[in-house]
Amino acid sequence: MVFNSFLSGDGDADRSPRLIARSKFPTHELTSDDVTYQGAGWLCRSKDTENGVRPESFWGEEASELAERLQIERPAVDGTSALVVDFRDPTRDERPDLDQLADEFVEASVKYFWPAIYRGDLKVEVETPDETVEADVDSVPAITPFVECYSSRFTEEEQLENAGDVAGLDIPLSVPPRADGSETPDGTVRLAARLASPADDDTYLNTVALFRGAGMVVKYYDQSRVAFGDRNFYGVLAAGEARTDHPSSESDEEIDRFLRFAEPPEHDEWESTENLREQYQRGFRTAIEDMFGTLRDGLRHLLAKSNGGTDALSDSVLNRFPIHGSGAPRVRNPPDLSRVFEIDSTSRFDGDRWVFSGRVEPIVDEYEGWSTEISLTSIGEDGSRYDDVAIETLSVEDEDVAISFEEDTVSVVADSTTGEIRFEGSSYATNENDLLSGDVGETQLEIRAELDSPEGDR
C-alpha cells in the first residue's frame, strides 16, 4: 500500500506532500543469504531512535517526485490518496480477472457509500485498461429501494399500505452533556421504510441502512423480527447532517458528532466506545440503546396494517415519538394521562432475562396521591399482544412508596409528597429463544398511571 497525503492545519502541513508505503508478506528467506525476514517492508526513510530504527515518511519535493513515479499524484488539497500495488484475497483460490474485480469495486462502493454518491458528495470511478466505470446508485439494484426510501423520507405518510409505499417518522435522540459540561441540544434522526414488492432485489430485505453526514452506510441493521407475513421492507435511519437536505441544525451537528464517536475503528456499528466515554458524560450508552429501541417500535408502527383507524401500538409506545414536525406520528384521541404524567422508560434483553428502568412523574400541581402499574408483555410480529412476562424484581429510589406484586403486574402507590418514581427491575431468567419463538417479536415494557385528584377522581 502507498499513501500520499496533503495535511491540514499548521506545523507539518507546510511540508506536504507526505508519502510512505508498506508491504505485508509472510515471513520468508531469500536464496542469496540465510537471513529470515519478517513480513513488514517499508518504502521510507529510516530514522534512528532510542527504541531502534523506525520508518519515516518522505516529505516535500522528494515525496512529490516519488508520487509521480508511482502514479499516485494528487491535487494539493487536504486528503490522502491510497494505492494498492498488489493484493491477493486469501479466501479465494483464484484471482478474479480485472473486469470482475472492477465490477466488485463498483458494487462495494455503491453498497456502502450510496448516500454520499446520491447527495453528490462523492464520485467514484473504477478504471481498467479497457474502460472507466463510474459508480452510480442506479447500477446496483439491491440498494435502489434504500435510495427511494431516503429520497421520500419526509413523506407525511405514517403507515405502509401497498408495495412500494414509503412512510416515515422522527426518532428522538437525547445526547448527554459533553465531558467538559457543555449542554447538548436534543434532536431527532429520521426513520423511513419502504414496503417491499416482488420486483425488488431482496439481498438486503428487512434491514435498515444506518448512516450520518459522512454518507457512508455504517451498517445494514437486520430487523427481520419486525417483519411479518407479507410486510417485508427496506429502511433508512438518516442521522446527523444526513437527516435533512437543508442546512443542518445545531442538534443535527451534535448528533453527527456523537455518532461519529460511537463508531469503532472499523466504522461498522454505533455502540458504546472509549471515544464516547472521553467526549461525553454518563448516559451515552442509554442514549444509543433508547434510539435503537425506539427505532424498532417505529418500524412496527410503520408496518402495522391499518385496522379501522386505531394504532397497532399502544399509546405508551407511540408517546416515545415526537408528536409534531414533518412525518411524525400523531396519536389519535390521546388519553387524559398524556396531560398529567411524564413517563420515560427503557428495556433490553440481558442474556437471560429482561431488564428495565424508568421514571414516572405527575406534571399537574395538585393531587392527593397516585399509583403506577408496571408490566412486561410479549408483542407479536404483527403488533398484537401475547402473554405477560412475569417480573421478578423491582426497586425504587423513594422508600416512602408501597410496592406490591400481583400476578404479572407490579403496583407502586405514592402519596401527595412523592413528586416522581424512578424504578428498575428485571423479569425471571428465561431463554431468549423461548421469548422470541413462534410469532412473538419482542417484549414491551408497559406503564399505566392513575392520579387521585383532590375531588377524588382517578
Side-chain angles (χ1 to χ4, degrees):
M1 290 285 293
V2 185
F3 300 94
N4 182 22
S5 303
F6 276 82
L7 280 65
S8 62
D10 300 324
D12 286 340
D14 296 334
R15 301 168 60 197
S16 295
R18 164 185 172 180
L19 184 142
I20 194 167
R22 185 183 182 187
S23 62
K24 183 69 175 176
F25 297 105
T27 300
H28 59 280
E29 295 181 357
L30 299 181
T31 56
S32 60
D33 55 39
D34 294 328
V35 178
T36 299
Y37 295 91
Q38 295 182 349
W42 297 89
L43 177 62
C44 64
R45 286 197 168 280
S46 60
K47 181 178 181 180
D48 293 324
T49 69
E50 294 179 354
N51 298 319
V53 179
R54 64 177 294 270
E56 188 177 68
S57 300
F58 295 104
W59 290 88
E61 186 64 28
E62 188 176 19
S64 181
E65 292 177 357
L66 190 54
E68 183 178 359
R69 293 170 59 193
L70 294 173
Q71 299 183 45
I72 191 174
E73 317 96 300
R74 60 168 290 113
V77 294
D78 300 346
T80 297
S81 296
L83 170 66
V84 182
V85 178
D86 193 30
F87 173 76
R88 184 181 72 84
D89 185 346
T91 65
R92 290 183 173 182
D93 294 331
E94 298 180 359
R95 295 191 181 209
D97 59 39
L98 282 179
D99 290 338
Q100 179 184 350
L101 194 59
D103 290 341
E104 291 178 2
F105 268 94
V106 169
E107 183 173 351
S109 300
V110 176
K111 174 183 177 181
Y112 288 107
F113 292 95
W114 65 261
I117 295 172
Y118 173 77
R119 290 165 67 98
D121 298 329
L122 176 67
K123 182 178 181 180
V124 179
E125 291 183 342
V126 180
E127 182 180 348
T128 68
D130 297 328
E131 63 177 344
T132 298
V133 179
E134 182 176 346
D136 183 84
V137 294
D138 296 326
S139 62
V140 182
I143 63 95
T144 299
F146 296 101
V147 177
E148 294 177 357
C149 190
Y150 181 62
S151 65
S152 302
R153 64 193 181 281
F154 284 114
T155 174
E156 294 185 359
E157 296 299 325
E158 300 166 9
Q159 287 186 313
L160 299 168
E161 297 292 340
N162 303 309
D165 285 353
V166 176
L169 48 80
D170 288 330
I171 301 292
L173 177 55
S174 298
V175 179
R178 293 191 183 184
D180 62 4
S182 301
E183 291 297 324
T184 56
D186 291 340
T188 63
V189 297
R190 186 65 179 176
L191 171 67
R194 175 186 175 279
L195 203 59
S197 72
D200 292 330
D201 185 312
D202 61 0
T203 304
Y204 307 115
L205 190 67
N206 297 326
T207 63
V208 179
L210 311 178
F211 56 93
R212 54 179 181 83
M216 183 193 79
V217 176
V218 172
K219 182 179 183 178
Y220 285 93
Y221 187 40
D222 185 1
Q223 287 296 286
S224 300
R225 295 190 312 190
V226 175
F228 61 92
D230 61 348
R231 311 293 283 175
N232 295 308
F233 69 93
Y234 303 86
V236 298
L237 188 71
E241 296 178 25
R243 184 189 67 86
T244 179
D245 294 327
H246 306 292
S248 300
S249 65
E250 181 182 355
S251 62
D252 289 331
E253 293 173 357
E254 186 64 41
I255 287 174
D256 208 285
R257 181 182 189 272
F258 177 77
L259 293 176
R260 173 163 55 87
F261 286 118
E263 294 173 12
E266 297 81 7
H267 299 282
D268 60 355
E269 187 62 89
W270 287 335
E271 61 186 10
S272 175
T273 64
E274 187 62 31
N275 282 333
L276 276 181
R277 185 171 286 104
E278 294 174 354
Q279 295 290 330
Y280 290 91
Q281 297 182 13
R282 293 180 60 182
F284 52 82
R285 184 192 300 270
T286 300
I288 294 174
E289 291 176 350
D290 285 351
M291 180 185 71
F292 281 119
T294 310
L295 180 153
R296 290 188 289 271
D297 289 333
L299 283 174
R300 291 194 184 93
H301 175 69
L302 297 178
L303 291 167
K305 292 182 177 179
S306 182
N307 54 1
T310 60
D311 292 315
L313 297 178
S314 67
D315 290 333
S316 63
V317 173
L318 290 179
N319 283 339
R320 295 171 64 181
F321 301 103
I323 56 173
H324 55 79
S326 176
R330 296 181 294 275
V331 180
R332 300 175 179 86
N333 301 319
D336 289 341
L337 287 178
S338 65
R339 297 196 300 271
V340 296
F341 283 98
E342 185 175 284
I343 299 175
D344 296 315
S345 66
T346 182
S347 62
R348 60 185 173 84
F349 193 75
D350 193 25
D352 64 348
R353 70 189 69 227
W354 289 94
V355 295
F356 56 87
S357 61
R359 179 181 68 90
V360 184
E361 178 184 6
I363 56 175
V364 295
D365 295 331
E366 296 184 10
Y367 53 87
E368 296 294 334
W370 58 284
S371 63
T372 182
E373 292 184 349
I374 302 166
S375 62
L376 291 168
T377 304
S378 297
I379 301 298
E381 295 181 343
D382 59 354
S384 59
R385 296 165 56 93
Y386 276 72
D387 295 334
D388 290 333
V389 177
I391 295 176
E392 180 182 21
T393 65
L394 187 131
S395 60
V396 298
E397 294 183 356
D398 194 325
E399 298 180 355
D400 295 329
V401 300
I403 302 176
S404 60
F405 289 78
E406 303 171 3
E407 295 183 354
D408 296 321
T409 301
V410 181
S411 297
V412 182
V413 180
D415 59 24
S416 59
T417 64
T418 302
E420 70 171 7
I421 293 176
R422 293 182 178 270
F423 63 87
E424 59 182 25
S426 66
S427 70
Y428 284 92
T430 186
N431 184 285
E432 184 178 19
N433 292 329
D434 294 337
L435 283 175
L436 303 178
S437 62
D439 295 323
V440 177
E442 287 190 359
T443 295
Q444 174 182 303
L445 178 67
E446 293 193 346
I447 303 170
R448 293 174 293 276
E450 290 186 342
L451 190 73
D452 296 332
S453 70
E455 290 78 17
D457 298 329
R458 294 178 70 84

